[in-house]
Each structure stands twice: as C-alpha cells, then as structure tokens.
Amino acid sequence: MSERPGDLLFEARHLRVTFQTDAGPVPAVSDVSFRVRRGQTLGIVGESGSGKTVSSLAALRLHDPRTTTVAATRLRFADLDLLTLPQRDLRKLRGNRIAVVFQDPMTSLNPYLRIGVQLCEVLTLHRGIARSQAEELAVTLLGQVGLAAAPERMRSYPHELSGGMRQRVAIAMALLCGPDLVFADEPTTALDVTIQAQVLQVMRDQQMRSGMALVLVTHDMGVIAHMADHVLVMYGGLVLESAPVAELFDAPRHPYTVGLLACRPRPHKGRPRHLFAIAGTPPRPQEMLSGCVFAPRCGLADARCRRDQPPETQASGPEHLVRCFRAEEVPQWARSQQLAEQEVVLG
C-alpha cells in the first residue's frame, strides 16, 4: 500500500448514471461517492453488474451523452469541475493527467495501427516529444510491464499479440505521460501471477516516484489487500461499505462484504472444505425499486430490510461507512455462519 496519501485530487459526490433505452430509463448507478488523494490507491470491488466500471467511466465523462445521463452534486479533479469542463479540455486531460486502463484491451487499442504508433502518439500529442525519444520511452516502459522483445513488439498490430500482451501494452500506454490519476479496470485479469505481481509493482513504483493516485477496479480481493489504502464495496449501483483496507478485512460490517471475503480460496488444514458462494444472483437495474438491494440474498435481512433502503451510517471508525440496518450484528452473525475467518496479509 502507498504511504501517507496527500492532498485531495479527485472527488465524486452522489454520482448517478442512467441509461436511456427503448424500454425507458434504466438506473445503473444510484448513489456513489468517493474521494482519492495523491499517492492513494482506492480499490472498488463487487460482482459483475454492480456498477464499478460504469461509475469509473462516468467519473471521467466517457459515456455517450446521447444514450447516458450522468449527474452528481460534485465531480472534480484537482481544481477542475468535470461536470462543466468542455470536451476539448477533457481530451487534454485524458491520457495525460488522467489515464485509463480499460478492461478489454482488444477494443481499446486501434486494430489498424501498430503498437508503436499508438504508444508514441500519446507522448507526441500530450508532451510534444520527438518521435525518436517517444519510441525510446515506450520501449522502456513495455519492458517494465513485462513485455518481452519490446522493440520488435512496437512493430506488431494488436491482433498479433495475446490478450495478456495487449493488456500490458494498455497499462504501459496509461503510464507513459506520468499521470496524476489512473483508473484501472481489471488491469491484471488476463495476466499470470508472476506478470501480475510485476505490473502491480510498476504501478506502486510510479506512485512512490510521482505521487500518482490509482483507482483499482477488480474482483481479486488479494490484489485489494496488497495494493489498496481504502476500499469501496459496490452492489446494485450503490456503495454498501466503504472503509480503510485493514478495517474492511478485519471487521466487515455488511453481510455482502462478509460474503465476498468468504468466497476467497484459502489454505486449509485437514479435510478440504467447499468454496463458499453467495446464494442468488445480483439484481437487474429495473428490479432495484425499494428496500435494501442486497436483501433478497442476505441471510440477515428482516422485514425492514425488504421494505426500506438503509442510509449510509458510520461503522467502526470515521472513515468506515456502511448501508445496513443490522451492521452491529454482522460480526456475530458471520461467526455463527463460520464466515468470519480471515487469513489475508496486507501490504
């Protein structure tokens, strides 16, 4: 984890995202708030469909305004209001001071251009660097993210690389300009464990050198434990729990967080145990009408949970927030269900 996060760099308050469809408006994100400080790593976890990627793209205004409505009471990067910033100025920020690692590099890389052309374009466009110097910097960073034979790969097209190799190219592209903030959506999913560790170390080194902040969207709780300072747990377009990483792993206060942690494969002694799975499936956006969004799958839910939506309240500390009427009962309930065993090494 990065040490001593600095000044506030990015803030989103009450972010809401609605898709306009033929069947009517569909609320994908209902109420998401988060802050990122310089040098900090914010982890965002949750099942597929929870709103993690949608929130990240909306924070950078990357959704198509013809089909998507994005609203917030505050959306700022440094001293800039992203809600009112013209598209021309947003384009100057993206890829420069704010970078994105998309989940699928095959669709984020241009299939008609060689890798070297795409990497060098970032530096020549945003930094005004000569092509020869840009090529040197690009080759160096490709080597740092674990891409073998980097000079030769500069002449390759995206379809000539494997999924993991394309992902490393996308990560290198995001880091080329030394951004202040990187949104990384499942950046290590296509990588084997050795390369994953190498890429994560590159990101941590960049943070130590420049104070870069990182928003890390992932399903991997091990990566969160290793990288994050603070964690958002999302479900059904809402943040159900938000806490410093140590508090979240040591004392989760939402049944959904407990379930996510219990799903992790863990070493066992004696007789093997079946891997835990959260019963049921996540809701579709159209189904999120009333009550707690997790109530249909929650072993602790009562009539009030099914009727009313719980407000965000403070849990074990000032930075530990949770949306659960029965948050105080969660630790005892988790122990009774044998879900409270934690064996995660942080840092």
Side-chain angles (χ1 to χ4, degrees):
M1 294 174 288
S2 56
E3 298 179 0
R4 299 182 180 276
D7 297 333
L8 184 64
L9 183 64
F10 188 94
E11 182 177 18
R13 291 185 189 173
H14 305 297
L15 180 65
R16 302 178 302 281
V17 183
T18 303
F19 295 132
Q20 308 300 330
T21 71
D22 293 339
V26 175
V29 171
S30 303
D31 186 1
V32 170
S33 299
F34 61 90
R35 310 173 83 192
V36 188
R37 297 187 178 277
R38 293 187 185 278
Q40 182 184 32
T41 298
L42 174 69
I44 306 180
V45 298
E47 292 169 278
S48 296
S50 296
K52 308 183 300 298
T53 298
V54 171
S55 298
S56 300
L57 296 179
L60 300 180
R61 288 181 56 194
L62 284 171
H63 288 294
D64 188 341
R66 295 169 298 181
T67 58
T68 309
T69 302
V70 176
T73 58
R74 189 177 182 88
L75 193 61
R76 293 190 70 85
F77 169 73
D79 58 348
L80 300 174
D81 184 350
L82 299 183
L83 288 172
T84 60
L85 200 66
Q87 282 293 333
R88 178 185 65 257
D89 296 326
L90 280 170
R91 286 193 292 270
K92 293 178 181 178
L93 280 179
R94 300 182 191 129
N96 185 13
R97 297 185 64 191
I98 304 176
V100 184
V101 180
F102 295 99
Q103 186 171 1
D104 184 1
M106 191 60 198
T107 57
S108 62
L109 295 174
N110 190 322
Y112 296 103
L113 298 178
R114 298 180 191 273
I115 295 301
V117 172
Q118 299 186 58
L119 289 169
C120 292
E121 182 184 43
V122 175
L123 290 168
T124 56
L125 179 65
H126 291 297
R127 290 287 189 260
I129 295 176
R131 178 60 184 264
S132 59
Q133 185 182 357
E135 288 182 354
E136 291 179 9
L137 292 172
V139 168
T140 299
L141 198 47
L142 285 178
Q144 290 177 354
V145 297
L147 192 63
E152 290 76 16
R153 295 305 180 190
M154 291 279 285
R155 296 190 291 272
S156 300
Y157 288 95
H159 73 270
E160 296 177 307
L161 306 181
S162 68
M165 295 166 73
R166 289 193 295 266
Q167 188 72 302
R168 279 169 268 177
V169 171
I171 293 168
M173 186 179 293
L175 298 180
L176 269 176
C177 285
D180 297 315
L181 174 64
V182 172
F183 281 80
D185 189 0
E186 299 284 354
T188 60
T189 297
L191 307 180
D192 61 50
V193 175
T194 303
I195 298 299
Q196 172 179 285
Q198 183 177 348
V199 167
L200 292 176
Q201 188 59 50
V202 169
M203 291 184 175
R204 294 184 71 173
D205 290 344
Q206 182 76 4
Q207 287 184 290
M208 296 299 292
R209 284 194 300 268
S210 67
M212 180 189 82
L214 177 64
V215 177
L216 183 60
V217 176
T218 181
H219 293 92
D220 192 330
M221 298 299 285
V223 169
I224 289 294
H226 179 65
M227 291 288 291
D229 300 294
H230 198 91
V231 189
L232 303 184
V233 179
M234 286 194 65
Y235 182 84
L238 288 169
V239 176
L240 297 189
E241 188 163 9
S242 170
V245 66
E247 287 188 35
L248 189 90
F249 277 82
D250 291 342
R253 291 302 182 89
H254 198 285
Y256 182 58
T257 309
V258 171
L260 289 179
L261 292 172
C263 289
R264 293 178 295 105
R266 287 170 288 187
H268 58 80
K269 297 179 180 179
R271 186 176 180 180
R273 294 187 304 174
H274 289 295
L275 191 64
F276 175 78
I278 302 173
T281 58
R284 295 183 298 171
Q286 302 93 312
E287 299 171 340
M288 297 184 289
L289 300 176
S290 63
C292 174
V293 292
F294 188 60
R297 305 174 69 188
C298 181
L300 199 56
D302 56 19
R304 180 175 59 162
C305 301
R306 298 181 180 91
R307 182 184 66 246
D308 302 325
Q309 187 176 106
E312 192 173 63
T313 57
Q314 184 174 309
S316 59
E319 294 185 89
H320 192 165
L321 304 176
V322 64
R323 290 180 182 271
C324 182
F325 289 122
R326 306 185 68 178
E328 294 299 321
E329 304 170 54
V330 168
Q332 182 178 352
W333 170 80
R335 288 191 294 270
S336 70
Q337 301 295 311
Q338 297 183 338
L339 300 178
E341 180 183 353
Q342 308 296 333
E343 295 177 4
V344 176
V345 178
L346 302 175

